[in-house]
């Protein structure tokens, strides 16, 4: 009989490692990496009030966005969608997308993508425009927060 870790892996909430994303400083935890997935990407993204993730796309990866807490907002191409709690959006690789939060409450997203790795993906392909640009709904706001000096 194979060891238990060959059949499944369990990550309890207290064991999850959270960090801020590099560009936009959004708290997230890489579930797939912590569970040892080689084929699937999966993260929780907790968007603070009046924040946004990067404006980006992928080469091969389909992404499924699911709102777990709050009301989600996402730009896909030229459209802005409002996604209620437990609602979901599937975005194909070539579409530019950005989750954002234009409310006073945190929003928790589960983002699942496959294939997990996109070897040799050119940053200019992933970010064909400024990845830090904010949607019109956040006009007049500043995000990400400035780093302390």
């Amino acid at each position: 009989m194979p060891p238990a870790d060959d059949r499944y892996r369990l990550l309890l909430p207290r064991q999850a490692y959270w960090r801020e994303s590099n560009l936009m400083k959004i708290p997230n935890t890489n579930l797939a990496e912590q569970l040892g997935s080689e084929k699937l990407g999966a993260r929780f993204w907790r968007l603070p009030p009046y924040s946004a993730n990067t404006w980006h796309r992928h080469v091969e990866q389909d992404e499924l966005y699911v709102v777990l807490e709050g009301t989600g907002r996402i730009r896909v191409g030229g459209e802005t969608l409002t996604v209620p709690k437990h609602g979901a959006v599937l975005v194909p690789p070539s579409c530019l997308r950005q989750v954002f939060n234009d409310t006073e409450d945190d929003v928790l997203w589960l983002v699942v993508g496959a294939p997990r790795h996109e070897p040799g993906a050119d940053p200019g392909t992933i970010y064909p425009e400024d990845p830090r640009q904010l949607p019109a709904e956040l006009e007049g706001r500043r995000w990400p927060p400035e780093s302390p000096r």
Side-chain angles (χ1 to χ4, degrees):
M1 182 174 216
D5 63 1
D6 283 350
R7 292 182 289 130
Y8 63 86
R9 293 177 182 99
L10 174 65
L11 179 67
L12 298 173
R14 69 180 178 273
Q15 297 170 326
Y17 169 74
W18 285 78
R19 69 170 188 88
E20 287 185 342
S21 64
N22 294 334
L23 278 178
M24 299 300 276
K25 307 300 181 204
I26 301 295
N28 71 92
T29 184
N30 189 332
L31 302 168
E33 183 176 279
Q34 292 174 79
L35 289 165
S37 175
E38 295 179 9
K39 298 179 182 178
L40 180 71
R43 290 180 187 258
F44 285 141
W45 289 94
R46 183 169 292 283
L47 275 77
Y50 306 108
S51 66
N53 206 342
T54 58
W55 177 236
H56 72 284
R57 66 180 175 202
H58 290 277
V59 176
E60 297 179 24
Q61 187 178 72
D62 285 321
E63 283 188 317
L64 175 68
Y65 293 81
V66 182
V67 176
L68 300 178
E69 297 174 3
T71 299
R73 303 272 280 154
I74 184 170
R75 292 200 286 169
V76 181
E79 292 185 60
T80 297
L81 308 171
T82 299
V83 185
K85 182 178 178 179
H86 301 150
V89 179
L90 179 65
V91 183
S94 62
C95 289
L96 282 164
R97 82 286 310 267
Q98 178 180 43
V99 292
F100 65 94
N101 182 2
D102 57 354
T103 74
E104 294 181 0
D105 299 312
D106 281 6
V107 178
L108 179 64
W109 289 87
L110 169 63
V111 182
V112 178
R116 179 176 174 198
H117 298 290
E118 295 183 306
D122 174 42
T125 301
I126 304 296
Y127 304 116
E129 300 175 14
D130 179 3
R132 293 182 185 215
Q133 68 175 278
L134 298 178
E137 292 81 359
L138 293 177
E139 185 176 340
R141 302 268 182 189
R142 291 185 56 97
W143 194 268
E146 292 185 23
S147 299
R149 296 178 193 247

